[in-house]
Each structure stands twice: as C-alpha cells, then as structure tokens.
C-alpha cells in the first residue's frame, strides 16, 4: 500500500510510516493511492462469516504486504471480540449498533485496531512509544481502552478535572497498568496546550512522544469494515444499499466512501450533520466556509465547524483542500453529489426523534444516532428512494442519560462495560496547568 498526502507536497510512504507518523510532513492527511476491489463473488463467499473473520479477510487484501497474515488475524480477532447488532426497524430500515465495544462508542472500532497495529510495528522494530492525549471526555477513554494492556506503548491522558462526567473519568482512571490519567486543574484547552507544548519541546524529543489523533490512517481503514459486514448480512450482491451516517469530523463517512470504492454497491451515502452545516452547504453551493466557533448542539461529538477528514473526501473526488480549509482545486461536484446526500438536523428535531423512535418502535437511540435517522428520513422524502438502508448508532444511549431522559422520561440501562467500572478503584494524579511541572512528571516517568 502506497499512501500520498492530500497536500501533494510530501513523498509517498508505506502503511507503517503513515501509521506511526500520523500527519504527513507537509501537514496533509495520508490517503491510500490504490485500494483492492472486491468482486461480487469474493463478497458472497464472506456472507456467513462472523465480524472478525470478515474484517480479517478484507484487511489481508487491503494491507497486503504490510503485515504478516498470522499476526493480522490474531490482531483482528483480539480487537473485535464484541457484537455488532443489526436491529430491524422495518423491512427496509436497519440500525447498525456500533456501541458494544469497551467504551460503548463506535470509536472503539478504529482505536482498537490502530493500537494493535502500532504495537505490532513497534515490537518488530523493538521500539517504545508514549501516547500523550488531551481529552474533554470521550476520545480519551476510547484511546486509553484501545491501548490498555498492550506492550511497548504507554498512554498518558490529560483531562480537565471538573469538566468531565463521573462516568467519563472512571473510564480513564480505572484501567491502570500502561495507562496513566492526569487530572488537570484547568480547562480542556489548558490540557491541549500542555500536550502541544510537550510535542514541540526539544528537551523531550528522546522520550518518543506520539499522538493517536483522529486523522491517523490507522483509524480510517478499520472504519470501512462494518459497511461490508452489514451489506453482506442484509443484501445479496449486486443489490444496492443506502447508509446514513451521523457525522462530525467525517471519519466514519470516509470509511463508507472507501467501502464504496472497494466494491460495496452503495446507492447513496447520507451524511447527516447537526446544526454545524458547513458540509451540506458546500455540497449544494460549491462554497466552503468553516463555522467558527462551532455551534453547540446536543449531539456534542459532532460539534465540528471544520471537519478534519474533508480534505480526504475532496482528494478522492479529484480536488485539493489544504489544512486551513482553502480549496485550490474543486472536486468533481457532480459526482460528489451523485454519491452523497448531506443534510443538517436541528436539536429540536433530534430530540423529537429520540422520543418518536421510542414510542413507535420501542427502540432506544441517543442524539447522534437520531441525527442519522432524521437524515435518512430527509433523504427519503427528497428522493422517494426506498432502497434498504442502514443507519448507524454511534454511541450507547446510556452514554447520554440526561438527553434520553429529557426526551422520553426514562433512563436507558447501561451496558455491562459501563456498569463494571462503577465498582473499580480509581488511579489518577493531579497537576495544575504549570507546564514545567508537567515536563518534570514526563521526565520522571519516562526517562
Ligand atoms: C466521534 C463521534 C461521531 C462523529 O464521527 P466522525 O467520524 O467524527 O464524523 C458521531 N457520534 C459519536 C457518538 C461520536 O463519538
């Protein structure tokens, strides 16, 4: 696999380099130059396999020559040891629940695979790495869990002591082993600034610090796999399918675009956003304008005014967008609009849908999943296309108890993974926002 940078000013690299470096040296995002194409026959042969086997069979082709098959198989089965339910709403609508991983978020799919692939390459080269990450809640717990118990990698998570919920904090502090949690007496921005300063600090170069941020190609590739899986379970090739994806940074949706390029017969990709509507506006007008600051909506993991994966979407349709969001070459807008339908959903409609869905179908959804469902309804109303559709639920409803309760009056039961942490012992250290103290902490721990 050869990967290029979306800024087109960096040399092509292999998968290992793209995975370990994260961002290309010209500040662009890595994109695979070519991907395998799966024929109808190849897809049909996988139909009856369980999730980890389908994932492995796809990855061995996608990552051919980058990792030995035996290791890849072990990694894939270890990463995907949980269910991926497809819940029927009616005969042509299904919900794919991506909320059964250890942190009850779809981010587990990407983070667990990326972590294990990193471990594989580090071990092979006998290297060690420390991941530093600042979080306002959810990303930190998904990253911490993904790397938990792995060799050659430590994780240090910084979080604002008073700004995360009890449950979010416990997801980071009850792990221990190779995971350290640092409660900072400050705001999320202070945590972020301390981490950035550490990355830029020449005195700390020898500590081999890295970030596991969301733009890593190692997170994108695993997000292609569940589109294949749900297609295989619900359709027979070459029947078509529609996917509706609640989107913020558009990583999940990019996974769907790549799955389509690799052969899944996707009729339409519905990219549903909250009131941060810069992408639907761009698709209809060809004019791109970031939303600064981003709008605060209840589907808070999607409050993004400039999606980091947009440069990838534009690249795959023949355009060029730099890291600031400037477009120097417009993509093929006709093709883009042919493949993708994007729509914005208000908070009011989001909450109404959480309620309606429970009343009509007896199904719990949370605000992000509701944006996906409303987007599908908008698409069907606009096109009269009733092709079988899968809409993605990206978090467990129990992760948003207050919102779900205010919509329907009942709190959803938390899954086992969230219940377990209630009884576990917490381990954390406390620091203020003084960078020098943080620096001494890192040196004491890592030297
Ligand atoms: C991160 C996240 C999203 C948005 O995914 P992107 O890949 O950033 O578009 C949607 N829902 C939940 C619950 C998330 O955590």
């Amino acid at each position: 696999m050869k990967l290029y940078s979306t800024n087109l000013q960096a040399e092509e690299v292999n998968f290992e380099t793209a995975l370990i470096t994260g961002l290309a040296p010209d500040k662009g995002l890595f994109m695979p130059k070519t991907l395998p194409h799966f024929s109808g026959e190849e897809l049909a042969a996988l139909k009856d396999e369980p999730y980890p086997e389908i994932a492995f069979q796809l990855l061995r082709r996608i990552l051919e020559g980058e990792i030995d098959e035996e290791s890849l198989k072990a990694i894939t089965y270890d990463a995907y040891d949980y269910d991926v339910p497809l819940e029927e709403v009616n005969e042509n609508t299904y919900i794919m629940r991506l909320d059964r991983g250890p942190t009850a978020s779809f981010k587990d799919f990407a983070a667990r695979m990326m972590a294990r692939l990193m471990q594989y390459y580090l071990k092979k080269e006998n290297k060690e790495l420390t991941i530093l990450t600042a979080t306002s809640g959810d990303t930190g717990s998904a990253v911490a869990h993904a790397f938990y118990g792995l060799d050659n990698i430590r994780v240090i998570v910084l979080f604002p002591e008073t700004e995360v919920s009890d449950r979010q904090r416990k997801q980071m502090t009850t792990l221990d082993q190779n995971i350290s949690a640092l409660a900072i007496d400050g705001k999320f921005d202070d945590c972020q600034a301390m981490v950035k300063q550490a990355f830029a600090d020449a005195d700390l170069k020898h500590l081999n610090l890295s970030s596991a941020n969301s733009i890593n190609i190692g997170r994108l590739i695993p997000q292609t796999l569940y589109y294949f899986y749900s297609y295989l379970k619900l359709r027979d090739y070459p029947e078509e399918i529609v996917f509706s994806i609640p989107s913020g940074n558009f990583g999940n949706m990019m996974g769907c675009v790549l799955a389509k390029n690799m052969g899944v017969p996707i009729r339409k990709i519905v990219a549903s956003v909250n009131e941060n509507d810069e992408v639907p506006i761009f698709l209809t007008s060809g004019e791109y304008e970031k939303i600064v600051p981003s709008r605060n909506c209840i589907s808070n993991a999607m409050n993004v005014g400039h999606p980091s994966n947009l440069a990838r979407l534009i690249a795959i349709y023949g355009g060029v967008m730099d890291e600031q969001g400037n477009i120097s070459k417009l993509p093929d807008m006709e093709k883009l609009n042919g493949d993708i339908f994007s729509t914005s959903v208000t908070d009011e409609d989001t909450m109404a849908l959480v309620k309606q869905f429970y009343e009509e179908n007896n199904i719990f959804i949370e605000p992000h999943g509701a944006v996906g469902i409303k987007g599908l309804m908008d698409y069907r109303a606009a096109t009269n296309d009733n092709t079988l559709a899968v809409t993605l639920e990206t978090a467990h409803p129990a992760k948003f108890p207050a919102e779900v309760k205010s919509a329907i009056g009942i709190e959803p039961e938390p899954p086992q993974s969230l219940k377990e942490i209630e009884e576990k012992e917490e381990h954390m250290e406390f620091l203020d926002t003084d960078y020098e103290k943080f620096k001494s902490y890192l040196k004491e721990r890592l030297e």
Side-chain angles (χ1 to χ4, degrees), residues 411-430:
E411 263 187 42
E413 179 76 5
Q416 194 54 31
S417 59
L418 297 183
K419 271 194 218 155
E420 265 168 25
I421 56 170
E422 295 300 326
E423 286 102 57
K424 286 193 188 151
E425 201 184 324
E426 292 192 67
H427 303 268
M428 66 184 130
E429 288 178 74
F430 298 86

Side-chain angles (χ1 to χ4, degrees), residues 1-54:
M1 177 187 264
K2 282 264 170 285
L3 298 108
Y4 68 95
S5 160
T6 53
N7 279 350
L8 305 175
Q9 305 295 319
E11 279 184 30
E12 284 172 15
V13 298
N14 66 6
F15 179 70
E16 176 179 348
T17 305
L19 178 75
I20 302 294
T21 48
L23 201 66
D26 64 358
K27 298 201 171 78
L29 308 182
F30 285 118
M31 271 294 273
K33 224 176 139 184
T34 53
L35 285 166
H37 192 274
F38 296 89
S39 68
E41 225 163 84
E42 285 171 302
L43 291 178
L46 295 174
K47 193 169 174 66
D48 296 326
E49 300 293 346
Y51 192 89
E53 184 62 23
I54 291 176

Side-chain angles (χ1 to χ4, degrees), residues 174-234:
T174 55
L175 290 168
D176 222 21
Q177 286 192 37
N178 60 328
I179 312 295
S180 311
L182 270 182
I184 304 295
D185 183 13
K187 302 189 124 336
F188 167 67
D189 290 342
D190 299 316
C191 301
Q192 179 90 336
M194 287 160 81
V195 166
K196 280 198 171 156
Q197 196 170 346
F199 284 133
D201 193 333
D203 286 353
L204 301 179
K205 269 274 172 294
H206 62 294
L207 298 182
N208 220 1
L209 303 176
S210 173
S211 75
N213 60 28
S214 63
I215 49 84
N216 195 299
I217 189 69
R219 286 178 63 162
L220 189 55
I221 287 177
Q223 290 178 173
T224 64
L225 308 173
Y226 39 75
Y227 296 103
F228 282 89
Y229 173 80
S230 49
Y231 177 76
L232 293 172
K233 296 299 168 192
L234 298 173

Side-chain angles (χ1 to χ4, degrees), residues 198-433:
F199 284 133
D201 193 333
D203 286 353
L204 301 179
K205 269 274 172 294
H206 62 294
L207 298 182
N208 220 1
L209 303 176
S210 173
S211 75
N213 60 28
S214 63
I215 49 84
N216 195 299
I217 189 69
R219 286 178 63 162
L220 189 55
I221 287 177
Q223 290 178 173
T224 64
L225 308 173
Y226 39 75
Y227 296 103
F228 282 89
Y229 173 80
S230 49
Y231 177 76
L232 293 172
K233 296 299 168 192
L234 298 173
R235 301 259 82 183
D236 286 310
Y237 191 88
E239 293 171 333
E240 289 188 315
I241 192 166
V242 167
F243 285 106
S244 181
I245 306 152
S247 297
N249 269 317
F250 281 76
N252 201 0
M253 185 267 195
M254 265 316 289
C256 192
V257 172
L258 298 186
K260 182 175 165 72
N261 278 287
M262 287 191 277
V264 181
I266 300 173
R267 185 187 188 97
K268 204 76 165 190
I269 298 167
V270 179
S272 308
V273 299
N274 59 25
E275 292 169 31
N276 291 282
D277 57 358
E278 64 282 357
V279 173
I281 290 177
F282 168 63
L283 286 181
T284 47
S285 68
E287 308 274 334
Y288 180 67
E289 217 169 299
K290 303 184 247 196
I291 296 177
V292 188
S294 59
R295 296 175 186 141
N296 252 330
C297 297
I298 47 170
S299 47
N300 58 23
M302 310 197 312
N303 291 340
V304 181
H306 175 44
S308 53
N309 277 288
L310 200 56
R312 284 194 168 118
L313 180 69
I314 287 178
I316 210 165
Y317 286 87
V320 182
M321 175 191 255
D322 71 12
E323 69 281 0
Q324 312 286 347
N326 303 311
I327 299 178
S328 56
K329 183 175 174 225
L330 213 57
D332 182 339
M333 295 303 291
E334 204 180 309
K335 188 148 192 291
L336 202 46
N337 279 298
D339 291 350
I340 296 162
F341 174 91
S342 189
T343 179
S344 159
V345 178
T346 63
D347 271 0
E348 201 186 333
D349 284 352
T350 304
M351 289 299 270
L353 208 85
V354 172
K355 182 167 190 277
Q356 184 193 337
F357 228 66
Y358 184 73
E359 288 173 355
E360 286 178 5
N361 308 300
N362 210 12
I363 294 176
F364 276 113
I365 49 167
E366 52 69 58
H368 303 80
V371 169
I373 293 168
K374 181 65 170 66
L376 177 64
M377 289 163 69
D378 288 356
Y379 168 70
R380 284 180 168 161
T383 60
N384 281 322
D385 175 17
N386 276 318
T387 304
L388 183 132
V390 172
T391 142
L392 276 54
E393 177 52 294
T394 47
H396 194 283
K399 289 193 95 169
F400 297 90
E403 291 79 1
V404 173
K405 191 166 184 199
S406 97
I408 61 182
I410 336 174
E411 263 187 42
E413 179 76 5
Q416 194 54 31
S417 59
L418 297 183
K419 271 194 218 155
E420 265 168 25
I421 56 170
E422 295 300 326
E423 286 102 57
K424 286 193 188 151
E425 201 184 324
E426 292 192 67
H427 303 268
M428 66 184 130
E429 288 178 74
F430 298 86
L431 280 182
D432 58 29
T433 56

Side-chain angles (χ1 to χ4, degrees), residues 435-445:
Y435 175 71
E436 290 308 318
K437 284 188 203 151
F438 176 52
K439 186 168 168 174
S440 320
Y441 169 92
L442 291 175
K443 293 183 107 175
E444 270 164 36
R445 292 310 148 101

